[in-house]
Each structure stands twice: as structure tokens, then as C-alpha cells.
Amino acid sequence: MTAARYWVELFDSGQRLGGGFFLTRRYVVTALHCLRGLTSPDGRLDVVLTDGSRLAGEVCRRDEDADLALITIAAAYDVRLSIPRAGTARRGDDWHAPYRPEAIEPVLGGKVDDGTADYPCEGGAVIQALQLTVDQQTGDYSGYSGGPVVTGVPDSAEPALVGILLEQVPDRVSAGRAANVLFAATIGEALSRFDQFHVEHLIDVLDPGGSAKRAELAGTAAAESSFDRVRAWAQRGLLDPSQVAELNFMIAKTALERQLRGDGT
């Protein structure tokens, strides 16, 4: 049995829904349209790893406008997968999609045409997206939706996770056929859409129900200054989205621990 990778398949009562991948060891992101066949009223489904392991998951957020969904893994499971760092893509970068719907399907790859496109997706929102040219002209890429987009050489030691596949462009000449151009939401867009990755939620996770303490924490100069510094570094391109989320969590945790100790330093 092979070691599990960070991309997954989603199932509902044995019925395959689509692909997705771990943004963190607790959350899986996918394209919302992949969940159209989900019959469970509470959003529960099976998350199947590449080694065949099955984890219990639940859809915790749906963003209809951006066609994105977030799935949380049940707390009973200790996920220890290696997840690539988040990054940004630039025009001319090589990209590939390690997830494929079937073993007989090709691994998609090609060139990044645009790494910062404002794209009006089918859900209605204008999102930050990658425009991708695909070398493998299969005519239909729908089964790849929800999978990760990675820059760098396949199987390289330092891949960068840059996007989530959402839509394909129709061929303007041959009706019913897809052109070899895809759009993918950037990782930054995905993280910004879900409050699970925002500072307020991170503090809630650390101190459930502690609203008074949370207000005190939010007002401390040290924490505010640190959050502002992280935000500024991100705007300058010095941090990728996953690093921002991790640093914000560490700042919130440290500040809360100081409050509990009564340490104002």
C-alpha cells in the first residue's frame, strides 16, 4: 500500500462525488459543484486518502458565489500528511494537477497564462484565479474539478500549492467540447473565503466561548501590532497564505496564554 498523499476523493454512501485536497491537516477544500450529488442532510461524507484510508468528514462551509466548499475532518482522526507550502503562480510557470479522477486518466499539466486574473465564475463572484493552458487535450476535464494545482516539477521536493481547479473554458469552434484552458481559484482566494482561517476564528478555537477575554485580547497593543505586521508582510509578498494563517494562530495562542497567566509583557 502506498503512502497517503494530500489529495483525496470524496464519497457519499459509496458514490464518488469528486476530488479535493487538504489545506491543513484538519480541513479539505473542494469545488462546491463536486458536492451536487451529496444526499446526506447534515453534510457528512467519506474522505478517502490515496492509500485507501477512509476518514469521516463533514461539509462545514459552502460558498455558492465562489463555487468553493470546506470540509472538516472528524476530531477522532489524527491526520499526519505532508502538505506542500502554499504559494503564488506567475505567468509562464509550469504547473501540474497531481489528482486525477481515475488511474487511466492523464496527469494534467501545462503553463500558467495568468496568475492574478479576476475571473467571474459560474457562481456569480469575481474571484482571484489562475488561467491555465493544458498540454493534455482530453476534451473534457470535469472529473478533475476540486483538485490541487501545483507549480514546479512533478514529484519535486519543494512543490508549491497554488490553486484549486474549478472550471474549463468552452471551445468556441466545436460546440460541446472544452478548450484546453482551465481556471483555478488561488489558494489565497480559498483561504479568504472561509472564516476558519481568520484571526477571530483561531481565537475562538483556542478559547471557546471566551468572548470577554477575546475582546480583551483583541485590544492588546502587542497582539494588534503583531497581526498588523503579518498583514503587511503578506501584502509585500513575503508570506504565503498558509504561513499567514499559521503565524496568526501562533500570535493568538501566545497572547491568550499571557492573558491567562496575567502577564502583560
Side-chain angles (χ1 to χ4, degrees):
M1 184 174 291
T2 59
R5 306 291 185 92
Y6 65 94
W7 57 92
V8 302
E9 287 196 296
L10 307 172
F11 283 83
D12 176 27
S13 302
Q15 180 67 39
R16 179 184 176 278
L17 300 171
F21 60 94
F22 281 90
L23 269 180
T24 71
R25 293 179 181 178
R26 187 56 55 192
Y27 291 108
V28 169
V29 67
T30 186
L32 180 58
H33 71 260
C34 290
L35 304 180
R36 287 173 182 159
L38 183 62
T39 59
S40 172
D42 55 8
R44 294 185 182 181
L45 43 66
D46 290 328
V47 177
V48 181
L49 307 185
T50 56
D51 66 355
S53 302
R54 284 181 175 259
L55 311 179
E58 183 177 346
V59 182
C60 60
R61 288 289 187 276
R62 292 176 171 88
D63 192 314
E64 301 278 354
D65 293 342
D67 192 23
L68 292 169
L70 195 66
I71 297 163
T72 185
I73 302 299
Y77 297 94
D78 184 18
V79 179
R80 296 183 176 272
L81 297 176
S82 176
I83 302 171
R85 64 181 178 85
T88 56
R90 294 174 176 80
R91 183 189 299 272
D93 284 350
D94 292 319
W95 71 273
H96 65 280
Y99 168 77
R100 48 186 174 162
E102 299 286 349
I104 60 172
E105 302 283 358
V107 173
L108 300 184
K111 290 286 186 182
V112 176
D113 292 330
D114 194 336
T116 57
D118 288 333
Y119 179 66
C121 62
E122 290 185 4
V126 176
I127 63 171
Q128 185 88 155
L130 313 176
Q131 181 178 314
L132 310 169
T133 298
V134 191
D135 291 339
Q136 300 75 26
Q137 299 191 35
T138 65
D140 182 4
Y141 304 100
S142 56
Y144 293 86
S145 293
V149 176
V150 180
T151 56
V153 179
D155 299 321
S156 64
E158 290 293 332
L161 188 57
V162 297
I164 168 174
L165 288 173
L166 290 184
E167 298 179 13
Q168 56 191 10
V169 176
D171 192 312
R172 299 179 68 179
V173 176
S174 301
R177 181 178 172 85
N180 65 325
V181 177
L182 305 180
F183 280 96
T186 64
I187 294 299
E189 180 73 35
L191 288 175
S192 71
R193 288 275 166 177
F194 302 115
D195 61 7
Q196 278 80 356
F197 305 106
H198 298 174
V199 170
E200 293 83 358
H201 178 79
L202 296 175
I203 296 172
D204 278 335
V205 171
L206 292 166
D207 182 32
S211 57
K213 193 177 299 173
R214 188 163 61 251
E216 183 180 0
L217 171 60
T220 61
E224 273 193 354
S225 175
S226 297
F227 290 138
D228 288 342
R229 193 175 305 131
V230 169
R231 190 178 303 112
W233 287 339
Q235 290 172 348
R236 291 166 55 193
L238 301 177
L239 298 173
D240 67 50
S242 65
Q243 290 171 326
V244 171
E246 184 175 358
L247 282 172
N248 282 339
F249 181 85
M250 293 169 62
I251 293 166
K253 184 174 185 292
T254 300
L256 181 60
E257 288 172 346
R258 286 176 175 173
Q259 290 290 337
L260 292 174
R261 292 197 307 265
D263 180 5
T265 60

